[in-house]
């Protein structure tokens, strides 16, 4: 039986090259080494775009998980559609509930940056978790990298106070 440990999770947007390296290393460990979703690496052109936000979640000062978000397009009415992806938590930190704070941080960040809606392609095993966080199903499951994923979305709003999100959950 796995014990859940409630430890504060601090989520921060990557600011330095060393943080980006750690972010990419966690993704590689989860998506390439553990899950074998990608053969050589999961890095793509979005990682090099200036508008992409890379996030690292820390448990007791140790990098434990990641999420990435980037704008897709301007929607009717002027808001921006954001994509959230590459949510990855190292196995030894999964009992610390790192995923929720990372997803909530991504949603707040996209809202702060003028987003009206965020979408994600979620592995089927994580759909219930995303629904718990307020996300809705969009369409039918589809294959992504050869595995079934469910497209999901959530409405965004600019956080009260207008300051950039810095999360400690």
């Amino acid at each position: 039986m796995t014990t859940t440990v409630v430890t504060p999770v601090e989520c921060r947007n990557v600011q330095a090259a060393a943080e980006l390296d750690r972010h990419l290393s966690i993704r590689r460990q989860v998506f390439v080494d553990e899950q074998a979703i990608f053969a050589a690496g999961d890095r793509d052109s979005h990682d090099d775009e200036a508008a992409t936000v890379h996030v690292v979640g820390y448990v007791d000062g140790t990098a434990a998980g990641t999420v990435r978000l980037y704008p897709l397009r301007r929607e009717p009415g002027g808001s921006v559609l954001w994509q959230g992806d590459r949510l990855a938590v190292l196995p030894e930190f999964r009992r610390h509930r790192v995923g929720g704070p990372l997803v909530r941080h991504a949603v707040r960040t996209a809202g702060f940056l003028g987003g009206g809606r965020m979408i994600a392609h979620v592995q089927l095993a994580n759909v219930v978790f995303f629904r718990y966080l307020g996300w809705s199903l969009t369409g039918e499951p589809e294959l992504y990298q050869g595995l079934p994923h469910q497209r999901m979305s959530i409405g965004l709003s600019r956080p009260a106070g207008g300051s950039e999100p810095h999360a400690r959950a």
Side-chain angles (χ1 to χ4, degrees):
M1 178 197 237
T2 302
T3 305
T4 299
V5 179
V6 180
T7 305
V9 176
E10 181 182 7
C11 298
R12 295 193 311 246
N13 297 350
V14 166
Q15 299 294 321
E19 289 176 306
L20 180 59
D21 288 345
R22 187 64 187 131
H23 171 97
L24 295 170
S25 173
I26 291 170
R27 286 176 24 192
R28 180 175 187 72
Q29 287 176 260
V30 172
F31 296 123
V32 178
D33 301 339
E34 178 190 348
Q35 297 180 2
I37 294 174
F38 300 93
D42 76 317
R43 205 179 156 118
D44 62 22
S45 63
H46 295 295
D47 287 308
D48 299 321
E49 294 173 2
T52 296
V53 180
H54 297 89
V55 180
V56 177
Y58 295 87
V59 173
D60 290 331
T62 302
T66 68
V67 69
R68 172 180 82 169
L69 56 145
Y70 51 89
L72 291 174
R73 66 177 178 271
R74 190 153 303 277
E75 302 243 83
S79 67
V80 178
L81 175 65
W82 282 78
Q83 170 85 39
D85 68 4
R86 303 302 201 265
L87 175 65
V89 176
L90 293 170
E92 61 269 28
F93 290 100
R94 291 183 184 147
R95 64 191 180 103
H96 290 273
R97 297 184 176 178
V98 176
L102 282 165
V103 172
R104 287 189 292 272
H105 181 85
V107 167
R108 280 193 306 276
T109 299
F112 173 79
L113 295 172
R117 189 167 53 103
M118 178 179 267
I119 62 168
H121 294 86
V122 176
Q123 292 181 23
L124 296 185
N126 296 324
V127 167
V128 170
F129 167 69
F130 272 76
R131 290 188 77 169
Y132 171 78
L133 293 175
W135 291 66
S136 301
L137 302 176
T138 305
E140 297 297 319
E142 52 194 32
L143 289 181
Y144 174 73
Q145 291 298 121
L147 295 173
H149 282 68
Q150 174 65 55
R151 186 171 177 187
M152 300 186 79
S153 69
I154 191 167
L156 304 173
S157 61
R158 188 166 180 93
S163 61
E164 186 171 0
H166 181 78
R168 185 177 211 100

